[in-house]
């Protein structure tokens, strides 16, 4: 196993982080020990040590140039929020001192009435509070001390993405420890999930970006004809791209390293202007904080380099979209990866228990997992033959699949001879590690010692997919522990459990091409859900089994589930509405006027050709087509505007509202775009009001 990021400490890395090394150096020994124990074992923080920690943290931050502090949190908008307070405290004699108390460290009270709560919080009790998550280190950025926090209502309901994530890690730890105890592990105190999210993004020229209202308002292009083909052009432009981009990447690395984000950037050659950043993995909550920081810093650094960073799942139609490969595993507090097969029969048996727990979880809760990546932006990717389909399945690879089949039948076939395979007695064959993305089409792939969930959208917070994965795996582990704890013959019961789960859940395993039509049909035969769009996926959140599992493990209660359901639908509607309104504005005020101007020019040409007695038929043909497209464009704008008003007038039930957006508004948006994109290929380039796909994709 590689190094976890909090063990890495070299040079500038983490220089702006209130890291373990800083704490060890500056905190009184007993306080340091107590805080470490709190962090390691996930205990509540003792208010006595909070005073000391706050004071030391403030001194360190002030030395780092900080004048303010902020409780940094992750509301349900999916982006981070912060409110800055000064350390400055007037002393009454016209002077001031720098102050920061333990209370201010532990708890904050942002005026949070305008963050989404999905009806959880009436406005009269609008205030929520933020609580320090001491498992994620504080850091200094822009002269401000950032304190990572969870955000809750006064009645304790989660109003953010971090709270359920922390709760789910707790739940998984509890259940995984039960399993470890059964296998004789008496020392592990805590089990964590580890995460390495690979982030994809596009970089385009800032000036061109600023000329496109769609990119500014929605993060994606809502119009744009396909650029002329030419892979050889990409090669040609490659050298130029590299220089500017690599300067950006160096700068980005430096900024991220300071904040303790262990980025390893690399160029991605799949789509023009598209790149990828992979960090070294960390515990899930730190990795989640770091991914939010990464997205934010990417945009900031890009701006400095005259670039715009696009994090949208599908900035360009017809060009590969962006995702986030969510590499996930389970580890003991001393760094033993529980999804590593190991080499002894006992390690193998324990590995198989964790493996089948994941298999069962994904099968039992495929719908919930699908929900966890459901956003309007990701709808453009999933199932579009460039990203995994909306159907959830697991890739195990041939070697492990063989082992699983042999376990199910109890017979190992080896060169014609066969022997029985007994878990806990026989050793598994050595499984090759798969770091090669051998099957990029699978949504949930086992890659040797971790699972890679590839359906996550590039712009979304990874908190949701991970709290779902943690919760559903906690559930299957608890079911398994219930059985094993009662077993008379432990080994026999381990064998029985593994066999039974394989038999009942192997339908979720698929090693073939997930992009194929055959798989869609096959998955249907196997009874696997295929929730094609966000609007199909959101309602599964309310399925009784899904509410139950979230409730049982203390991750979300019923009211919190309901609020998230409402917010997801609301976000979907808002996103599409902004897109539709942006299209109307661009079409009415840019594309239609440009098209009309060109129509006028061509009409003049036809008239002068006629007057001169020349052949004008070809120009007339062109004119007729332009007129027909332009009037089509105008009609499409009007129709979309009218339908938007109509759909919003009948608001009522939020699911019905979202459905209307999907079934009525999106098709009209596509219709409008088709007219505009066709016009783009005909109208004089000097009149076309916005940068084209070619301009954007080959702009750097
Ligand atoms: P590469 O793709 O560079 O060959 P990997 O496929 O092993 O390397 O890693 C891809 C991502 O998975 C990286 O972000 C890495 O840190 C992460 N990763 C590796 N091991 C684990 C683990 N045990 N848990 C979570 N993420 C991991
Ligand atoms: Mg990978």
């Amino acid at each position: 196993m590689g190094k976890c990021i909090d063990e890495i400490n070299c040079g500038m890395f983490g220089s702006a982080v209130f890291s373990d090394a800083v704490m060890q150096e500056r905190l009184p020994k007993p306080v340091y020990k107590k805080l470490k124990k709190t962090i390691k074992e996930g205990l509540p923080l003792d208010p006595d040590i909070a005073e000391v920690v706050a004071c030391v943290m403030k001194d360190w931050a002030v030395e780092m140039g900080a004048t303010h502090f902020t409780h940094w949190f992750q509301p349900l908008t999916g982006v981070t929020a912060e409110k800055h307070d000064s350390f400055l405290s007037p002393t009454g004699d016209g002077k001031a001192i720098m102050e920061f108390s333990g209370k201010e460290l532990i708890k904050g009270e942002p005026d949070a009435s305008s963050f989404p709560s999905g009806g959880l919080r009436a406005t009269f009790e609008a205030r929520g509070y933020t609580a320090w998550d001491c498992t994620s280190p504080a850091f200094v950025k822009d002269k401000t001390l950032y304190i990572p926090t969870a955000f809750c209502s006064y009645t304790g309901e989660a109003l953010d993405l971090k709270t359920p994530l922390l709760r789910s890690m707790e739940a998984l730890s509890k259940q995984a420890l039960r399993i470890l105890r059964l296998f004789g592990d008496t020392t592990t105190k805590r089990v964590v999930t580890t995460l390495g999210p690979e982030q994809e993004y596009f970089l385009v020229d800032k000036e061109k970006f600023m000329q496109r209202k769609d990119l500014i308002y929605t993060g994606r292009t809502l119009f744009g004809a396909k650029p002329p083909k030419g892979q050889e052009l990409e090669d040609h432009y490659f050298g130029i791209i590299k220089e500017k981009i690599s300067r950006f990447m160096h700068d980005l690395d430096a900024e991220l390293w300071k904040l303790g984000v262990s980025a390893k950037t690399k160029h991605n050659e799949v789509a023009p202007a598209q790149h990828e950043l992979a960090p070294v993995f960390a515990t899930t909550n730190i990795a989640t904080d770091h991914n939010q920081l990464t997205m934010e810093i990417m945009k900031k650094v890009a701006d400095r380099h005259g670039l715009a960073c696009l994090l949208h799942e599908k900035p360009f139609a017809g060009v590969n979209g962006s995702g986030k490969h969510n590499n996930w595993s389970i580890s003991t507090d001393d760094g033993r990866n529980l999804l590593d097969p190991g080499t002894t029969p006992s390690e193998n048996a324990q590995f198989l228990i964790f493996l089948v727990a994941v298999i069962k979880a994904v099968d039992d809760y495929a719908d919930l997992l699908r929900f966890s990546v459901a956003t309007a932006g990701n709808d453009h990717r999933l199932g579009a033959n460039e990203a995994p389909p909306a159907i959830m399945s697991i890739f195990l690879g041939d070697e492990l699949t063989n082992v699983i089949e042999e376990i199910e039948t109890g017979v190992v076939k080896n060169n014609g001879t066969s022997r029985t395979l007994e878990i806990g007695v026989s050793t598994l064959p050595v499984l090759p590690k798969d770091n090669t993305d051998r099957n990029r089409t699978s949504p949930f792939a086992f890659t040797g010692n971790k699972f890679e969930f590839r359906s996550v959208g590039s712009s979304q917070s990874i908190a949701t997919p991970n709290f779902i994965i943690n919760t559903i795996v906690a559930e299957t582990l608890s079911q398994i522990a219930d059985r094993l704890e009662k077993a008379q013959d432990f080994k026999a019961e381990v064998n029985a459990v593994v066999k039974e789960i394989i038999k009942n859940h192997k339908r979720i395993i698929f090693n073939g091409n997930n992009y194929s039509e055959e798989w869609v049909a096959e998955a249907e035969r196997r009874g696997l859900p295929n929730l094609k769009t966000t609007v199909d996926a959101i309602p599964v959140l309310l399925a009784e089994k899904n509410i139950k599992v979230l409730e049982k493990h203390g991750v979300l209660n019923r009211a919190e589930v309901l609020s998230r359901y409402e917010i997801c639908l609301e976000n979907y509607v808002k996103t599409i509405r902004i897109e539709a309104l942006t299209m109307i504005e661009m079409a009415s005020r840019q594309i239609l006027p440009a098209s009309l101007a060109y129509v006028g020019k061509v009409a003049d040409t036809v008239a002068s050709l006629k007057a001169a007695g020349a052949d004008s038929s070809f120009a007339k043909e062109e004119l007729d087509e332009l007129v027909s497209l332009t009037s089509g464009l105008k009609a499409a704008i009007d129709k979309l505007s009218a339908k938007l008003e109509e759909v919003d007038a009948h608001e009522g039930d939020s699911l019905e509202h979202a459905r209307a957006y999907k079934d009525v508004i999106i098709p009209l948006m596509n219709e409008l775009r088709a007219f505009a994109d066709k016009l783009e290929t005909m109208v004089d380039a000097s009149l076309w009001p916005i940068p084209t796909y070619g301009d954007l994709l080959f702009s750097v």
Side-chain angles (χ1 to χ4, degrees):
M1 172 163 158
K3 276 194 167 177
C4 207
I5 70 140
D6 28 29
E7 291 161 26
I8 299 173
N9 198 0
C10 56
M12 81 179 1
F13 185 82
S15 62
V17 181
F18 192 66
S19 62
D20 188 46
V22 176
M23 291 196 280
Q24 193 163 11
E25 186 195 315
R26 297 187 173 226
L27 289 172
K29 221 181 200 140
V31 175
Y32 170 75
K33 271 197 174 149
K34 224 167 173 181
L35 183 61
K36 275 303 270 188
K37 193 170 152 70
T38 303
I39 293 169
K40 207 163 178 184
E41 295 173 24
L43 304 169
L45 187 75
D46 180 344
D48 288 345
I49 71 163
E51 256 344 298
V52 185
V53 176
C55 182
V56 171
M57 199 189 270
K58 181 214 59 188
D59 287 346
W60 168 82
V62 170
E63 279 170 40
M64 297 289 301
T67 52
H68 287 67
F69 69 94
T70 180
H71 274 208
W72 185 61
F73 59 105
Q74 301 172 23
L76 293 163
T77 52
V79 292
T80 58
E82 51 197 68
K83 176 194 155 212
H84 296 201
D85 281 305
S86 163
F87 285 130
L88 227 58
S89 183
T91 49
D93 52 2
K95 295 198 179 116
I97 52 164
M98 297 289 232
E99 242 182 18
F100 182 52
S101 69
K103 234 175 84 201
E104 285 169 307
L105 169 64
I106 294 181
K107 196 164 169 176
E109 296 186 45
D111 178 12
S113 50
S114 44
F115 290 110
S117 76
L120 263 187
R121 196 186 30 174
T123 28
F124 64 84
E125 44 169 351
R127 288 169 81 83
Y129 71 90
T130 50
W132 182 30
D133 163 23
C134 62
T135 59
S136 181
F139 54 91
V140 169
K141 181 166 79 73
D142 305 328
K143 295 191 184 315
T144 302
L145 170 66
Y146 279 72
I147 301 156
T149 61
F151 177 42
C152 293
S153 77
Y154 259 102
T155 41
E157 272 118 358
L159 295 173
D160 68 348
L161 293 162
K162 183 147 201 178
T163 305
L165 182 65
L166 291 172
R167 291 172 179 167
S168 75
M169 290 179 72
E170 204 51 55
L172 189 128
S173 177
K174 191 166 144 200
Q175 302 305 332
L177 281 175
R178 288 175 69 195
I179 302 287
L180 291 184
R181 296 289 180 260
L182 287 163
F183 278 94
D185 176 340
T186 52
T187 52
T188 300
K189 288 216 169 65
R190 194 173 161 78
V191 170
V192 294
T193 53
T194 49
L195 191 67
E198 301 167 58
Q199 175 76 48
E200 288 182 324
Y201 61 99
F202 279 84
L203 289 173
V204 298
D205 180 72
K206 179 84 185 176
E207 263 176 47
K208 301 225 162 58
F209 169 91
M210 290 309 291
Q211 289 164 39
R212 299 235 7 174
K213 292 251 163 22
D214 47 4
L215 287 179
I216 295 172
Y217 294 146
T218 74
R220 76 179 182 102
T221 53
L222 301 169
F223 298 102
K226 281 207 172 67
K229 280 201 177 148
Q231 284 302 116
E232 66 289 348
L233 268 184
E234 274 178 46
D235 296 342
H236 178 70
Y237 279 86
F238 188 80
I240 302 164
I241 290 171
K242 212 174 164 191
E243 203 178 310
K244 188 154 184 178
I245 300 299
S246 86
R247 256 183 281 137
F248 159 86
M249 285 178 171
H250 278 303
D251 204 3
L252 176 64
D253 277 346
E255 290 279 337
L256 290 174
W257 290 347
K258 269 191 255 167
L259 297 172
V261 181
S262 56
K264 301 186 293 176
T265 41
K266 55 183 179 191
H267 189 242
N268 189 327
E269 294 161 52
V270 175
Q274 191 185 29
H275 312 279
E276 187 188 278
L277 181 148
V280 177
F281 67 94
T283 57
T284 305
N285 64 321
I286 294 180
T288 301
D289 286 358
H290 282 181
N291 184 247
Q292 292 291 346
L293 278 175
T294 301
M295 292 194 285
E296 180 194 323
I297 305 278
M298 273 178 170
K299 290 193 167 179
K300 208 167 87 178
V301 173
D303 198 58
R304 220 186 273 156
H305 288 257
L307 299 165
C309 173
L310 309 180
L311 291 169
H312 194 281
E313 284 72 18
K314 192 74 178 174
F316 304 99
V319 174
N320 258 17
S322 299
K324 236 178 306 229
H325 287 178
N326 192 88
N327 293 277
W328 175 92
S329 192
I330 317 173
S331 165
T332 60
D333 47 10
D334 58 357
R336 269 179 305 130
N337 185 345
L338 299 173
L339 287 174
D340 195 310
T343 47
T344 65
S346 152
E347 283 171 349
N348 287 172
Q350 186 183 292
F351 159 72
L352 286 169
I353 287 290
F354 281 99
L355 179 75
V356 296
V358 177
I359 293 173
K360 184 175 194 305
V362 173
D363 189 27
D364 285 348
Y365 298 99
D367 54 350
L368 204 49
L369 201 58
R370 168 66 183 92
F371 156 79
S372 77
V373 293
T375 63
N378 218 11
D379 278 2
H380 299 283
R381 260 181 90 232
L382 301 183
N385 281 5
E386 58 168 80
I391 306 162
M392 294 295 134
S393 68
I394 293 181
F395 169 84
L396 285 185
D398 294 337
E399 295 81 4
L400 189 53
T401 305
N402 276 344
V403 169
I404 295 269
E405 276 164 6
E406 287 167 354
I407 291 171
E408 193 197 348
T409 55
V411 181
V412 184
K413 289 194 201 76
N414 203 351
N415 306 330
T417 61
S418 56
R419 61 184 172 91
T420 51
L421 188 148
E422 209 183 321
I423 302 168
V425 178
S426 342
T427 41
L428 297 180
V430 178
L431 300 168
K433 256 203 196 169
D434 182 14
N435 288 330
T436 52
D437 288 340
R438 234 180 338 159
N439 186 337
R440 289 186 72 86
T441 70
S442 175
F444 209 87
F446 184 69
T447 51
N449 60 1
K450 61 185 189 293
F451 279 95
E452 185 166 334
F453 185 26
R454 303 201 178 111
S455 311
V456 182
S458 50
S459 70
Q460 82 174 101
S461 159
I462 51 178
T464 302
N466 286 293
F467 86 67
I468 297 290
I469 297 173
N470 292 348
T471 308
I472 64 182
V473 174
E475 169 57 21
T476 47
L477 287 173
S478 90
Q479 292 170 9
I480 294 170
D482 286 347
R483 272 183 68 175
L484 294 181
E485 280 166 2
K486 283 198 227 88
Q488 303 287 336
D489 179 343
F490 180 66
K491 245 181 219 155
E493 192 66 5
V494 167
N495 262 284
V497 166
V498 171
K499 269 190 184 176
E500 196 184 296
I501 294 183
I502 293 170
K503 185 161 173 292
N504 294 339
H505 298 280
K506 64 181 175 197
R507 64 170 190 167
I508 198 73
I509 297 165
F510 179 62
N511 294 326
N513 178 7
N514 284 255
Y515 295 173
S516 66
E517 277 306 313
E518 295 83 67
W519 170 233
V520 176
E522 167 67 16
E524 196 179 337
R525 261 194 304 279
R526 293 189 190 185
L528 300 178
N530 183 1
L531 301 159
K532 291 195 178 111
T533 70
T534 294
V535 182
D536 302 314
I538 294 172
V540 307
L541 193 53
L542 299 189
E544 200 49 35
K545 74 168 175 76
N546 293 337
I547 299 182
K548 281 228 169 82
V549 75
L550 289 162
E551 254 184 337
K552 174 178 166 189
H553 295 280
V555 175
L556 291 177
N557 64 30
R558 196 167 285 266
E560 289 168 332
V561 171
L562 278 172
S563 88
R564 263 151 234 259
Y565 165 82
E566 287 296 335
I567 289 169
C568 287
L569 288 171
E570 222 174 80
N571 281 345
Y572 179 84
V573 166
K574 280 183 189 161
T575 305
I576 310 286
R577 185 192 288 132
I578 292 170
E579 289 184 350
L581 290 173
T582 305
M583 284 189 96
I584 292 169
E585 168 161 336
M586 288 173 74
S588 315
R589 303 187 55 211
Q590 295 184 295
I591 296 170
L592 184 62
S595 304
L596 284 173
Y598 187 55
V599 164
K601 269 192 163 179
V602 178
D604 289 348
T605 308
V606 172
S608 24
L609 285 172
K610 258 198 185 148
D615 175 17
S616 63
S617 60
F618 70 96
K620 179 68 170 45
E621 236 172 69
E622 185 79 359
L623 179 63
D624 288 345
E625 194 175 352
L626 281 165
V627 168
S628 143
L629 288 169
T630 309
S631 79
L633 181 81
K634 171 84 174 78
I637 297 172
D638 293 345
K639 204 154 131 203
L640 179 58
S641 310
K643 278 287 173 195
L644 261 182
E645 256 179 55
E646 196 181 309
V647 162
D648 283 345
H650 298 288
E651 207 165 314
D653 175 65
S654 37
L655 181 59
E656 285 312 311
H657 197 203
R659 283 206 178 116
Y661 267 83
K662 171 173 88 81
D663 296 332
V664 180
I665 301 302
I666 290 181
L668 289 178
M669 287 163 62
N670 294 338
E671 217 174 279
L672 173 55
R673 175 173 185 152
F675 282 112
D677 289 0
K678 183 74 189 134
L679 279 163
E680 186 192 318
T681 65
M682 298 181 71
V683 171
D684 182 349
S686 66
L687 292 175
W688 197 249
I690 53 176
T692 63
Y693 269 29
D695 296 338
L696 288 164
L697 287 168
F698 301 99
S699 62
V700 190

